[in-house]
Amino acid sequence: MNEPTTTPALSRRDFLKTAGCLSIGFSFACHPLSAAPQPPLQDSLPGPLRQQPQINAWLEVLENGRVRVLTGKLELGQGIRTAIAQVAAEELDMDPNQVEVHLAETGRTPHEGYTAGSGSIENSAMSVRYAAAAARQKLLALAAQRWNKPVEQLRLGDGKIEGGKDQLTFAQLLNGTQLTDEVRLPVMLKPKSEYRWVGKAVPRADIEKMVRAEPVYVQDLRLPGMVHARVVRPLAYGARLRSFDEAALKKAVPGILKTVINGNFVGIITTEEYEAVQAQLVAREQPKWETTKPLPDNQNLAESIKKLPSKSRTVKETGDVKTLEASGGSSLKARYFKPYHMHGSIGPSCAVALYQDGKLHIWTHSQGVYPLQEAVKKMLNLPTEAVHVVGVPGSGCYGHNGADDVAADAALLAMAYPGKPVRLQWSRDDEHGWEPYGSAMQMEAEARLDASGRITHWRYDVWTDSHSTRPGGEPGNLLAARSIEKPFSQPSSGYSGGGYRNSEPYYAIPNLKVDAHFFEGPLRVSALRSLGAYGNVFAIESFMDELAEKAGKDPLEFRLRHLEDERAIAVVKKLQELTRSEKGKPGEGIGYAFSRYKNVATYCAVAARVLADPKTGKVQVLKMWSVIDAGEVINLDGVKNQTEGGMIQAASWTLKEEVQFDKQHVSSRDWASYPIFRFSDVPETEVVVINRPDEKPLGAGEAAQGPTAAALVNAIYRACGQRIRHLPVRLDRRE
């Protein structure tokens, strides 16, 4: 599939223009998507398509016969550009190489909210599927009318329509117009028995570019006349700027074009990037800051977060858990903890902004260009039409990292230095110290087994901060907007539901109660891949392993005894089959775990084999297996890549990662103080995909995180007899 033209030599005009598109001046309203539950796909159009139903909101026919697909989603490494091209090519009977995908851009692509929650396939790709199918129907109808032939006598393929001796390309048939019809049910989708592309492993063209170090990311973007910038961060959250010696800075660093001081926000614009880096280093010594109250003790975080003021709610209650303490059978209690985690983006956040002729252009790897547009316009008091946001892939993300913040930083500086593109690259220190983290969580579980070893009672509590404070149109969720002279207040809470994601076990338990307790912790937090599902599944599946042992049952057989969903049973049994012949050496162990993401989406079972040595404290992951059922598979490689990457990332979280902070601020400011998996740590992975073409497609990007954590700690127990309930794994820690 062709990539968007974002190369270093590209001019601003070329970057903005949409040449080659046959247009009749259509426009569509960009409305926020409804959060209401969506009906099943076969009974209804996908939600984004219902909000923006015109065919040409989703695809355009180009003069050269190619088709351009428009998506409000951003490529994050999940391969959505390739998968969307596949479904469009399938419905239009074209080769995927004839389809190009235009990523999120305000005023240009549909408003699809955020690229998050493993929803891109379910929502955007399916909207494109239906729009392309409706386009096929319309194109055939137009050709039939033109040639006065029945539709049944026409054939569509490779960007052309043929009817006997008659032949026209799509562009010739439309003759300078676009398909503006609304997509309405019923839509005749292509029979799955005739699929050529969907379900296949179509390679991603961008991976070769990455390997060759060709321009792919917003970090690579260069525009004519571009200048460079850095922001000087305070010492701590909420610190106030008392003075700044601007003259001393200019004397120390030549090449400074402008220093921007707006309240507590300090930005420096220079001619070259090296000068910007040097200016930032020198400028850190210039300001005098007034700091606020100190942060709490990081050493006892697991206990301190439970003591914070909290709001509680019952997530699920069935039967009567009051009888959990009744006599007969046996009971078990356990407590689990996960620390704050970073996104750890390999490429620090970056944005380019240009203010010219009364319009602000922003190039960003934000996962939500429309919500960012709304937040920035409010921060700068601009009309909506004066803020144009272009989505460009960034190097590393999976959640709300610093992308929105750096875009706001760049926007402020571009407004202060109009007429020139301002490129602002965060440093590693900026990224580690100021990004929004994944919340620390404490989980407590208690259960009772009957005499046969079946779970009869289950009680579960989770303590968690918010799991999403994305801008969402609120400037107070942007660092810069909270720092300027007329600051915006941060909303008191974000998306609390992410904290209890997957907190209800996906097992048949007659008496069950799940409670969530929401606190506001000391560190800035937001969405990190899988939200609370990682912590909750880690706790639940670790506890299931402990219960299996107490019941004297095989860990997989114990899970199968409590599962009722046939698809869940199928992935567990397939994992059982994959690992049945595995024999561990002394000091090695194999652990297992299962979950269904959000309890309504993708099924995933994981096994891990580890080598654990309590004497040295070393844990080595030798191999990981996964069996995943994400419904209908669009791109087989995409599902496997997402699952492999999810397992490796989760293994890094589980074994290594923990945000450290002192009384002033976050102290994990580099890769030494915040270690992540390196290539030498990455184990062999094996992923089996159960394709269900008659089921609706589900997002696979966040299904493996929780099961991987539990599988690893369960494997460690079998390797050395030590139960890990407190992350990251430390064999010398007393639980």
Side-chain angles (χ1 to χ4, degrees), residues 244 369 467:
F244 184 85
V369 294
H467 281 262

Side-chain angles (χ1 to χ4, degrees), residues 306-572:
K306 283 187 63 178
K307 296 175 183 177
L308 293 171
S310 63
K311 297 179 181 179
S312 301
R313 64 166 291 183
T314 296
V315 177
K316 181 76 172 182
E317 185 171 12
T318 58
D320 182 10
V321 295
K322 294 178 183 177
T323 57
L324 195 153
E325 289 84 7
S327 60
S330 59
S331 62
L332 185 67
K333 293 182 181 180
R335 178 184 298 177
Y336 304 88
F337 172 76
K338 72 160 286 282
Y340 289 100
H341 282 153
M342 291 184 186
H343 294 82
S345 300
I346 300 301
S349 297
C350 180
V352 178
L354 168 68
Y355 184 64
Q356 189 172 45
D357 301 327
K359 191 162 186 177
L360 176 66
H361 303 279
I362 303 171
W363 291 268
T364 172
H365 55 118
S366 168
Q367 291 178 235
V369 294
Y370 282 100
L372 177 62
Q373 177 193 45
E374 185 71 10
V376 168
K377 79 153 193 182
K378 291 177 182 177
M379 179 182 76
L380 300 174
N381 194 27
L382 293 172
T384 302
E385 60 273 15
V387 181
H388 171 226
V389 183
V390 181
V392 186
S395 175
C397 190
Y398 283 114
H400 177 201
N401 65 351
D404 294 289
D405 293 313
V406 74
D409 292 343
L412 270 173
L413 295 177
M415 293 289 290
Y417 198 76
K420 293 283 188 179
V422 178
R423 179 182 182 272
L424 203 161
Q425 171 82 61
W426 274 15
S427 66
R428 173 57 52 199
D429 186 86
D430 291 331
E431 188 80 27
H432 274 30
W434 292 94
E435 68 147 276
Y437 310 108
S439 176
M441 296 170 64
Q442 175 93 314
M443 294 75 62
E444 294 182 359
E446 184 176 7
R448 174 167 287 278
L449 299 166
D450 64 16
S452 70
R454 187 175 290 274
I455 304 171
T456 59
H457 297 74
W458 181 286
R459 185 158 56 208
Y460 184 85
D461 291 86
V462 54
W463 284 262
T464 177
D465 203 335
S466 169
H467 281 262
S468 184
T469 56
R470 294 181 186 273
E474 293 289 341
N477 281 329
L478 298 169
L479 279 178
R482 300 206 296 266
S483 302
I484 57 179
E485 188 173 353
K486 294 181 179 179
F488 291 82
S489 298
Q490 182 183 11
S492 59
S493 62
Y495 174 50
S496 60
Y500 57 79
R501 180 173 291 179
N502 278 97
S503 60
E504 180 189 349
Y506 200 68
Y507 298 104
I509 302 172
N511 304 290
L512 175 144
K513 190 171 191 286
V514 176
D515 291 311
H517 313 280
F518 306 103
F519 60 80
E520 291 188 24
L523 302 187
R524 184 186 185 210
V525 293
S526 193
L528 178 60
R529 195 177 190 182
S530 82
L531 306 190
Y534 169 80
N536 286 317
V537 176
F538 153 66
I540 290 169
E541 287 297 296
S542 297
F543 195 52
M544 285 293 289
D545 212 64
E546 296 192 46
L547 287 169
E549 183 180 48
K550 194 170 187 68
K553 306 293 183 183
D554 173 86
L556 288 181
E557 290 296 337
F558 183 74
R559 287 168 171 82
L560 289 169
R561 288 188 72 193
H562 292 87
L563 285 171
E564 295 179 336
D565 186 330
E566 289 302 320
R567 291 172 69 178
I569 292 169
V571 297
V572 173

Side-chain angles (χ1 to χ4, degrees), residues 648-686:
I648 293 167
Q649 184 180 41
S652 181
W653 290 347
T654 305
L655 297 179
K656 291 180 176 287
E657 299 184 37
E658 179 179 22
V659 176
Q660 300 284 347
F661 57 93
D662 53 32
K663 291 185 177 182
Q664 190 172 63
H665 196 60
V666 171
S667 54
S668 304
R669 308 295 281 265
D670 52 35
W671 294 123
S673 54
Y674 189 86
I676 63 173
F677 258 32
R678 298 182 180 271
F679 283 117
S680 59
D681 298 308
V682 175
E684 178 186 354
T685 58
E686 182 178 348

